[in-house]
Amino acid sequence: MQISFDENTRSFHLTNGLISYIMQLKADNYLAHLYFGQAVERFNLKYALYVTEREGCPQPDGMEEARVFSLETLPQEYPAQGCGDFRIPALRAVLDNGTSALDLRYVSHEIFSGKPALQGLPSSYVKNEDDAQTLEITLREVSGKLSVVLSYTIFRNLPILARHARISNSGCNALTLTQAASMSLDFNAAYEYDRVSMYGAHANERNIERRQLGHGIEHTSSVRGVTSHQHQNFIALCEHQADEHHGKVYGNTLVWSGNFDAATEVSCYGQTRLTLGINGEDFRWNLQAGETFTTPEAILCFSHQGFNGMSQAFHRFVREHIIRGPWQYRERPIVANSWEAAYFNFTEESIVRFAKDCVKLGAELIVLDDGWFGKRDKDNCSLGDWLITDTKKLPNGIKGLADKIHALGAKFGLWVEPEMISPNSELFRAHPDWALGVPEHKRSQQREQYVLDLSRQDVRDYIVDAICTVLRSAPIDYIKWDMNRNLSEVGSAQFPAAQQGEIATRFVLGVYDIMDRITSAFPEILFESCAGGGKRFDLGILCYMPQTWTSDNTDAICRQKIQYGTSYVFPPLTMGSHVSAVPNHQVGRFTPLLTRFICAMSGNFGYEMDLGKLSAQEQEEVKAQTALYKELRPLIQFGTFTRLMSPFAGTCNETAWSFMAEDGSKVALMYFKNLAEPSTKLRRLCLSDLDPQACYQVRHHLIPKALSVNPYAQDFNLEGEVFGGRELMEYGLTMDRVDADFAAYLIVLEKI
Ligand code: GLA
């Protein structure tokens, strides 16, 4: 791993043997981007940016005669607005004289071991100094009024870079930032890419969308104050021929949970620019003399082994450099959550009965979801009243219930939604100015709730205190931290007019502050974040809470797409996924218990149903399934995840993925076929990354029960069968005899 600066060519090369990232200082100290991709040993800098004159491109002062150098065609590291580059900028600001033309030039740089944390923001980290190296380049606006530090960290053994920018007011008067992206990446070639992003909605998160980049600007963004159900703060560019296993992919995401914009632009010269960071829409940040604004961190991944290569790098990165604390490598318990089992309708007695049934069948952590505080018999009141336990439901309080659950040998968890305030709550009646709002406007409601103004220190202190009091009041092992609405009428009663454009950003910084204070006060508690399901599944929150409820949709068929899309960036260990009842509460579908199990156990496994209501035979099935999950848990939670068949492809009828143990000793294969077909085509499924010379024996083969009345239908249980590694990768396994809708298979192979 090495970052070097070559004095002769005035170029920077960051490499770790997997990737190279090359920049060069051009005439008059413009910082140009030259290359990001697979590691290169040599790079001819002289011809890398060779261009001839293009009419219509301005030249900077002093370069007008040669006519070939223009910011309009120069690939840049942190392009700014107003001095001849007309493409999307990374930086926009209004200076004290009202103008916004910015001309950034290199001043100095520094190279050091390790990776410093970002001020006030979550960021990736290394445990040892020699696991990463950092380069910081300082640029200054020619007026001297503003300077930018670009920070780049390269990690050992990962094709990943972390970047952010720190923008300082180095003048004497205030200035206003109106755009401060975390990264900009220029692709200096006229060949074309596909653009891959994710879209969705509540209960339908992270659908993969891939289309060819066209000329002009395209945005994937959020202005909802959160990462959002609608778009993910992820963007990839890839070669047209790239697929799950082959081809060049550039994947990018943010360690950030608020408004964002992922923008791409293809210029008239075929150059492509990608910027990613806080959304410039409605963003204004005042910088007084001497103040600095730090952008969220962007994570850049390069894979030449397709999307699986990208995801596997992201997954390792999340496990090693994002998730922290005692739960980083600890196995996560099997959850039984009361939400879909009882909603608001429970008592201590019914929850203890629910817990007994679930624990008997293998659950390890009982979670009491919404409805335990204030007068919360419906989702229309009491948010904020965390110190008022509903003693009608829980006569012995949270502690009484927690003790009873612990006596069953299980852990106990609780639901909270600390960022919110109900109009109908004691808290709002006492502090109506504590909700975000805009003067002379009525606040919009979503789920009959408002959002707390977490830009305010007093509000944050109150919430930290209230939640910590609850956590101290009882033996609580787990918290589900929810966030059920988007931000609207974003204004704060405490900030002056000039700073109202900062509130959406300050809200997110406030969320991080309260999460940091609460999670670090209770490091042993396992926190799971949630935001109406998967509205805030991002690396920012994962820095505080090591798992996220993936979606409110628990249907095993919908979940294939949701989990497949989520796995582009996030490892299965982080994805809460539970078996729920049939008919499913979101889509009304009946699916076999086995299919629900195979889908849910492909993530952070649990139940979202009353297991006591199952038949005796189904309960036996659940018992066997939880036992099998416990056996496979290290493989699923810490193994390498590979996508094999996409639910977004063709008729969306089949999905397959696999998990490989770190040491290669075991592999689990999951295959789903949604609608049965007559005279179905033969399906063979090839595994990947096995040892070609080794033999693998089938240890478990879970297949749907034959429903067909066809007397010739044969069972083909493979348990005990031996296959060659090369055979499994080249010829594959036959997936046959699917004669029912919504079928799923699980095959576990062990190297012998
Ligand atoms: C949100 C969550 C659900 C559940 C409810 C409780 O919708 O996503 O899982 O916790 O809130 O009100």
Side-chain angles (χ1 to χ4, degrees):
M1 192 174 48
Q2 193 195 346
I3 300 179
S4 56
F5 178 66
D6 182 335
E7 297 282 351
N8 293 324
T9 55
R10 304 181 77 222
S11 64
F12 299 95
H13 188 168
L14 295 82
T15 186
N16 57 7
L18 298 171
I19 49 168
S20 283
Y21 194 96
I22 302 175
M23 299 171 261
Q24 190 178 28
L25 297 173
K26 306 307 281 185
D28 287 345
N29 286 329
Y30 288 108
L31 178 62
H33 174 79
L34 262 55
Y35 175 78
F36 177 37
Q38 196 165 0
V40 289
E41 292 79 28
R42 286 186 61 79
F43 197 83
N44 188 321
L45 293 146
K46 201 158 148 207
Y47 291 103
L49 295 184
Y50 184 77
V51 283
T52 52
E53 183 203 353
R54 282 174 170 79
E55 275 294 337
C57 297
Q59 284 88 45
D61 179 56
M63 299 189 193
E64 56 278 0
E65 275 178 28
R67 301 227 179 151
V68 290
F69 185 92
S70 173
L71 296 183
E72 176 68 338
T73 50
L74 184 73
Q76 292 167 72
E77 278 301 317
Y78 205 64
Q81 190 190 36
C83 289
D85 182 351
F86 301 103
R87 295 169 289 175
I88 40 176
L91 181 69
R92 285 190 288 135
V94 184
L95 300 178
D96 58 348
N97 56 13
T99 64
S100 44
L102 299 175
D103 185 348
L104 298 174
R105 309 289 179 101
Y106 165 86
V107 181
S108 62
H109 72 269
E110 209 188 329
I111 296 169
F112 51 90
S113 310
K115 178 178 191 300
L118 270 65
Q119 200 76 44
L121 281 161
S123 55
S124 58
Y125 71 100
V126 287
K127 284 187 179 152
N128 303 307
E129 284 264 293
D130 47 358
D131 285 342
Q133 225 184 347
T134 298
L135 162 68
E136 297 206 329
I137 302 175
T138 302
L139 309 176
R140 186 176 303 134
E141 211 286 315
V142 289
S143 67
K145 292 176 177 170
L146 177 153
S147 56
V148 178
V149 174
L150 297 178
S151 177
Y152 302 82
T153 297
I154 187 162
F155 298 84
R156 182 185 298 287
N157 291 333
L158 277 169
I160 280 185
L161 279 179
R163 275 187 72 171
H164 74 275
R166 297 194 298 275
I167 301 141
S168 300
N169 181 337
S170 40
C172 306
N173 302 315
L175 59 86
T176 308
L177 298 179
T178 54
Q179 168 101 28
S182 298
M183 65 172 282
S184 175
L185 193 60
D186 277 348
F187 295 79
N188 188 37
Y191 57 85
E192 294 160 354
Y193 295 94
D194 284 352
R195 182 187 202 277
V196 181
S197 58
M198 297 181 206
Y199 70 92
H202 175 246
N204 183 19
E205 295 89 340
R206 285 172 291 284
N207 293 276
I208 304 291
E209 187 157 69
R210 175 170 176 169
R211 57 177 186 270
Q212 191 171 327
L213 266 183
H215 285 86
I217 301 173
E218 286 179 79
H219 294 274
T220 301
S221 64
S222 166
V223 286
R224 294 164 199 267
V226 277
T227 308
S228 87
H229 287 115
Q230 284 69 17
H231 293 286
Q232 186 65 25
N233 58 18
F234 161 84
I235 175 103
L237 296 187
C238 67
E239 297 178 309
H240 293 322
Q241 67 270 29
D243 61 22
E244 284 289 11
H245 303 279
H246 315 93
K248 292 182 186 162
V249 179
Y250 297 84
N252 309 278
T253 187
L254 284 178
V255 187
W256 178 243
S257 315
N259 292 339
F260 74 90
D261 184 28
T264 48
E265 177 170 3
V266 178
S267 78
C268 57
Y269 307 117
Q271 291 169 304
T272 300
R273 173 168 292 168
L274 182 162
T275 62
L276 178 60
I278 291 181
N279 200 330
E281 205 162 298
D282 281 342
F283 167 82
R284 290 183 311 283
W285 192 276
N286 298 280
L287 272 186
Q288 302 301 326
E291 283 182 353
T292 297
F293 179 81
T294 303
T295 72
E297 188 165 78
I299 308 298
L300 292 67
C301 176
F302 170 75
S303 161
H304 60 96
Q305 287 161 325
F307 285 91
N308 272 314
M310 172 195 78
S311 300
Q312 287 166 0
F314 273 139
H315 292 183
R316 265 194 54 208
F317 180 77
V318 170
R319 282 201 299 261
E320 293 172 12
H321 301 293
I322 292 288
I323 296 176
R324 59 205 75 197
W327 284 96
Q328 183 178 9
Y329 295 116
R330 223 184 252 173
E331 287 185 14
R332 312 289 169 77
I334 299 179
V335 177
N337 181 300
S338 69
W339 181 239
E340 288 192 20
Y343 295 104
F344 295 101
N345 187 14
F346 61 84
T347 57
E348 180 188 284
E349 205 187 326
S350 72
I351 294 295
V352 172
R353 202 268 309 139
F354 164 79
K356 273 187 192 150
D357 289 334
C358 294
V359 172
K360 204 170 62 195
L361 301 184
E364 299 159 312
L365 164 65
I366 305 301
V367 178
L368 175 59
D369 209 280
D370 197 353
W372 58 267
F373 53 92
K375 298 193 171 75
R376 187 94 168 156
D377 294 327
K378 223 179 145 221
D379 61 6
N380 63 354
C381 69
S382 303
L383 292 169
D385 296 344
W386 304 111
L387 299 176
I388 311 173
T389 302
D390 182 346
T391 45
K392 269 200 312 324
K393 290 180 189 157
L394 303 179
N396 303 302
I398 296 292
K399 175 152 178 9
L401 177 62
D403 286 343
K404 290 198 173 82
I405 304 289
H406 281 167
L408 299 173
K411 306 252 180 237
F412 173 73
L414 202 61
W415 178 97
V416 291
E417 194 177 357
E419 299 154 62
M420 296 293 150
I421 180 164
S422 303
N424 181 8
S425 66
E426 298 306 321
L427 189 66
F428 187 71
R429 281 185 276 277
H431 300 284
D433 61 324
W434 279 17
L436 287 175
V438 169
E440 291 141 51
H441 286 66
K442 291 225 162 84
R443 296 179 178 95
S444 308
Q445 296 188 28
Q446 191 182 323
R447 219 188 189 212
E448 294 178 58
Q449 62 197 57
Y450 298 146
V451 183
L452 276 175
D453 178 3
L454 294 178
S455 67
R456 290 172 64 150
Q457 182 77 41
D458 54 349
V459 177
R460 296 202 298 274
D461 289 348
Y462 173 84
I463 280 299
V464 170
D465 212 52
I467 299 295
C468 288
T469 304
V470 174
L471 296 184
R472 273 192 300 268
S473 73
I476 294 170
D477 307 291
Y478 161 105
I479 283 290
K480 177 174 170 187
W481 179 305
D482 211 340
M483 196 285 187
N484 274 307
R485 68 159 287 182
N486 297 313
L487 276 53
S488 60
E489 294 88 22
V490 181
S492 171
Q494 212 179 53
F495 280 82
Q499 282 188 279
Q500 294 297 328
E502 300 174 7
I503 302 304
T505 306
R506 285 186 181 275
F507 171 82
V508 185
L509 300 178
V511 171
Y512 292 148
D513 176 49
I514 64 170
M515 284 191 173
D516 184 40
R517 285 155 69 188
I518 295 171
T519 57
S520 35
F522 297 91
E524 284 299 320
I525 293 184
L526 173 60
F527 284 86
E528 176 157 344
S529 74
C530 172
K535 180 170 62 185
R536 205 168 53 180
F537 206 141
D538 59 59
L539 298 188
I541 302 294
L542 283 172
C543 287
Y544 305 101
M545 306 191 178
Q547 56 193 61
T548 301
W549 180 229
T550 313
S551 174
D552 275 350
N553 189 338
T554 54
D555 170 62
I557 308 310
C558 298
R559 272 290 185 130
Q560 291 165 35
K561 280 187 177 166
I562 295 170
Q563 292 175 202
Y564 195 96
T566 304
S567 78
Y568 261 41
V569 180
F570 306 101
L573 171 71
T574 61
M575 282 184 222
S577 49
H578 298 172
V579 171
S580 60
V582 288
N584 174 269
H585 292 197
Q586 292 76 42
V587 295
R589 198 178 344 254
F590 285 86
T591 50
L593 187 54
L594 177 63
T595 301
R596 283 177 275 152
F597 168 66
I598 295 177
C599 187
M601 62 89 75
S602 301
N604 206 321
F605 181 54
Y607 290 88
E608 195 83 10
M609 64 188 290
D610 191 341
L611 294 176
K613 292 198 173 140
L614 292 177
S615 68
Q617 193 196 337
E618 285 171 320
Q619 293 195 353
E620 282 311 305
E621 250 187 90
V622 168
K623 217 177 191 173
Q625 289 170 351
T626 53
L628 178 60
Y629 179 74
K630 285 174 189 170
E631 178 192 324
L632 299 178
R633 178 157 44 192
L635 169 68
I636 303 296
Q637 297 195 351
F638 300 100
T640 302
F641 178 78
T642 304
R643 293 177 298 267
L644 299 170
M645 289 184 75
S646 171
F648 296 100
T651 55
C652 303
N653 204 28
E654 291 167 284
T655 305
W657 50 55
S658 68
F659 292 82
M660 164 80 78
E662 194 90 357
D663 62 0
S665 62
K666 218 182 231 183
V667 56
L669 169 67
M670 290 81 169
Y671 167 73
F672 305 86
K673 180 160 176 177
N674 294 334
L675 293 185
E677 297 159 311
S679 305
T680 181
K681 296 198 174 55
L682 282 181
R683 162 65 62 210
R684 264 204 314 273
L685 203 54
C686 293
L687 284 124
S688 71
D689 303 315
L690 300 182
D691 176 353
Q693 308 303 334
C695 286
Y696 293 83
Q697 185 166 37
V698 177
R699 293 285 185 227
H700 301 282
H701 189 191
L702 271 53
I703 42 179
K705 283 194 202 74
L707 292 183
S708 169
V709 288
N710 177 355
Y712 300 104
Q714 282 178 19
D715 246 357
F716 79 113
N717 194 325
L718 297 178
E719 258 162 53
E721 290 298 325
V722 176
F723 298 89
R726 176 96 61 201
E727 175 191 356
L728 289 166
M729 292 192 287
E730 298 300 328
Y731 184 77
L733 284 169
T734 303
M735 299 285 127
D736 204 4
R737 218 226 58 203
V738 176
D739 58 4
D741 286 347
F742 313 129
Y745 289 43
L746 168 67
I747 301 178
V748 181
L749 295 133
E750 239 171 60
K751 198 169 168 180
I752 50 173

